[in-house]
Amino acid sequence: MRALTVTKRLEEQSAFIGLLTQPLVTPANDAKLHRLVIRHQRQLTEWFRRLGYRLVVAGQVVRLHRTPHAGIVTTPYISRPPKGRELVLTLVAAAACEESDSTTTLQAISDHVRMITGVETSPVTAYDPEYGPERSVLLLAVRRLEAHGVLVRRTRDEEMLKAWEANRTGIGAGYDIDRAALLQLLDPHTAALAAPPTGSDETQLLAATRWTRMLRILIETPALMYADLSEDDATYARGVAGRLAEAARTMTGGTVEVRAEGLVLILPPDHPWAGDATLDWPRTAAPAWVALMLCDAAGATGERTDTGAVLLLSHQVDALAVALHTQHHAELTDTFRQRPEQIRPTAEATLRDAGLLDIDSSGNWTLKPAAARYRDPAPSSRWYTHTLASEASE
């Protein structure tokens, strides 16, 4: 009996994490996750209710709606988010599908998008199918709709897609339209809640939604740092840190570190969708280790605040990059040995992607408290051999 209970809870937690990473699920786009969600719908509905979210099951379509609270949406961290044009064309392509029958083609979607964006009153820059990069972006948009289960591809020949994109020939691909999934994707109710009610008291709204907002930050980002909060929110979060940690552990099966500077959620790697919810970093690659070495030096040199963040002026960062090149010259790969000016921008891009660094308009650094987790990243000979081999293969 206990084994069945443990298995049930693991399935519930896996489905919970899966829906956070893929909020629109159908049997077509993820049959395994769809089965788990339907099996544990009651428990998942309750957990998402605690976050202030809505879990909707309409026929064969499952949709997690991240309902805003006080006009605030807690955005999951995305290392490389899609560009705005891709998202805009995704929405326009979805609108084009609403005007289509139960089936469509990539070329038909392209024609509809051109027509919709071409009218004088369109707030969207007109889509030009004769411009190669535009066709590529529309293809990304259609693939996004396919990933959400709105479009189900009927033709699997990738060469047809390549011919449509590069040579402007053919229909690209044929699709079935899942109208139930399309309706949930474009749900106007959630969009209407994106702004707080007219005439509402912002202070009261923030106070009333404090628990769910703190829990959302911990589960979605997944680090609740007191330095990132208002004074009232930080005081509240410190007072309920234990309850927040227990709620996050129950729903995700993860481990929560309760630290002086905040709470950090570490998801279990054995859950099927945990990899989609976490950043694969640091990896065995030269940019990651250069970033870690510069991060370590910055942590030892910069001014540490009461909240655990580390502050450095831009010229201090430059000096650390020069010192890194000098002191670790023999261990660096050819790219950084021959082009030391690439050390700082590479480290900055890598650390920002990992959610560990903020940079102001003057180039000054603010290392977030979580950066203290990565200490003494001395490059080993094994890493050096691996990265040299990787560079040679490129």
Side-chain angles (χ1 to χ4, degrees):
M1 180 64 70
R2 176 174 172 77
L4 288 175
T5 302
V6 172
T7 299
K8 178 175 180 291
R9 180 47 53 94
L10 287 174
E11 287 187 350
E12 291 167 348
Q13 292 165 342
S14 293
F16 182 83
I17 295 172
L19 278 172
L20 290 176
T21 63
Q22 189 167 307
L24 201 161
V25 184
T26 71
N29 70 345
D30 197 324
K32 182 178 179 181
L33 178 57
H34 186 269
R35 287 194 298 270
L36 278 182
V37 172
I38 297 301
R39 186 182 306 157
H40 302 292
Q41 179 181 344
R42 177 175 296 181
Q43 182 62 74
L44 293 170
T45 299
E46 169 60 22
W47 282 349
F48 283 119
R49 186 192 63 78
R50 296 178 69 182
L51 283 167
Y53 292 164
R54 292 187 301 126
L55 182 62
V56 176
V57 178
Q60 291 294 298
V61 177
V62 176
R63 176 71 156 103
L64 173 63
H65 291 280
R66 287 175 163 95
T67 309
H69 263 355
I72 299 172
V73 178
T74 303
T75 307
Y77 178 75
I78 302 175
S79 175
R80 291 176 176 81
K83 291 194 166 55
R85 184 62 171 172
E86 178 187 339
L87 292 179
V88 167
L89 289 186
T90 300
L91 293 176
V92 178
C97 290
E98 285 193 304
E99 301 298 323
S100 303
D101 295 326
S102 59
T103 62
T104 188
T105 66
L106 179 56
Q107 182 58 48
I109 294 173
S110 176
D111 292 340
H112 275 91
V113 170
R114 177 178 55 79
M115 181 177 62
I116 292 171
T117 61
V119 299
E120 292 184 3
T121 56
S122 171
V124 177
T125 302
Y127 161 72
D128 181 7
E130 298 304 313
Y131 180 50
E134 281 277 78
R135 294 174 78 88
S136 298
V137 174
L138 182 66
L139 181 56
L140 289 175
V142 170
R143 288 189 189 277
R144 184 172 293 276
L145 292 177
E146 187 179 354
H148 284 310
V150 172
L151 294 175
V152 181
R153 203 193 310 183
R154 292 184 287 110
T155 52
R156 293 292 171 183
D157 188 352
E158 287 291 324
E159 292 302 319
M160 293 177 64
L161 288 172
K162 292 178 181 178
W164 181 88
E165 179 183 12
N167 304 328
R168 306 176 194 174
T169 59
I171 63 169
Y175 301 92
D176 291 320
I177 301 173
D178 188 328
R179 294 202 167 276
L182 180 61
L183 178 64
Q184 290 300 322
L185 179 71
L186 302 177
D187 178 36
H189 179 65
T190 299
L193 295 172
T198 304
S200 59
D201 186 306
E202 183 179 357
T203 301
Q204 290 183 354
L205 278 174
L206 292 175
T209 59
R210 198 157 271 142
W211 166 263
T212 51
R213 288 190 293 107
M214 298 303 102
L215 188 57
R216 287 180 180 188
I217 293 172
L218 178 57
I219 287 178
E220 295 273 26
T221 58
L224 177 69
M225 295 298 173
Y226 303 135
D228 297 334
L229 305 176
S230 68
E231 185 176 345
D232 287 342
D233 281 352
T235 300
Y236 176 84
R238 287 188 179 96
V240 297
R243 289 173 53 204
L244 287 169
E246 181 59 29
R249 281 193 292 262
T250 299
M251 290 186 279
T252 67
T255 301
V256 179
E257 292 185 358
V258 181
R259 305 167 64 93
E261 63 270 17
L263 307 177
V264 179
L265 171 64
I266 302 172
L267 294 178
D270 53 343
H271 280 342
W273 292 275
D276 296 328
T278 56
L279 179 66
D280 182 17
W281 190 85
R283 291 175 292 177
T284 308
W289 281 101
V290 165
L292 285 172
M293 287 190 285
L294 198 57
C295 176
D296 188 58
T301 304
E303 175 189 353
R304 191 170 297 276
T305 69
D306 293 340
T307 60
V310 176
L311 310 178
L312 291 97
L313 298 175
S314 183
H315 70 85
Q316 292 177 294
V317 180
D318 284 335
L320 291 177
V322 171
L324 189 156
H325 182 261
T326 302
Q327 296 168 12
H328 296 280
H329 188 271
E331 292 102 342
L332 295 174
T333 54
D334 287 343
T335 298
F336 296 114
R337 277 203 302 263
Q338 297 170 9
R339 302 185 63 190
E341 71 277 5
Q342 291 298 312
I343 289 178
R344 175 174 176 172
T346 298
E348 288 180 334
T350 305
L351 292 171
R352 279 196 294 193
D353 276 352
L356 300 176
L357 175 67
D358 287 331
I359 307 173
D360 68 17
S361 58
S362 299
N364 303 321
W365 277 25
T366 300
L367 275 177
K368 296 187 177 182
R373 293 173 56 88
Y374 304 94
R375 298 185 178 93
D376 193 24
S380 66
S381 58
R382 178 180 178 185
W383 161 76
Y384 181 57
T385 302
H386 178 90
T387 49
L388 280 181
S390 298
E391 284 199 349
S393 67
E394 294 174 0

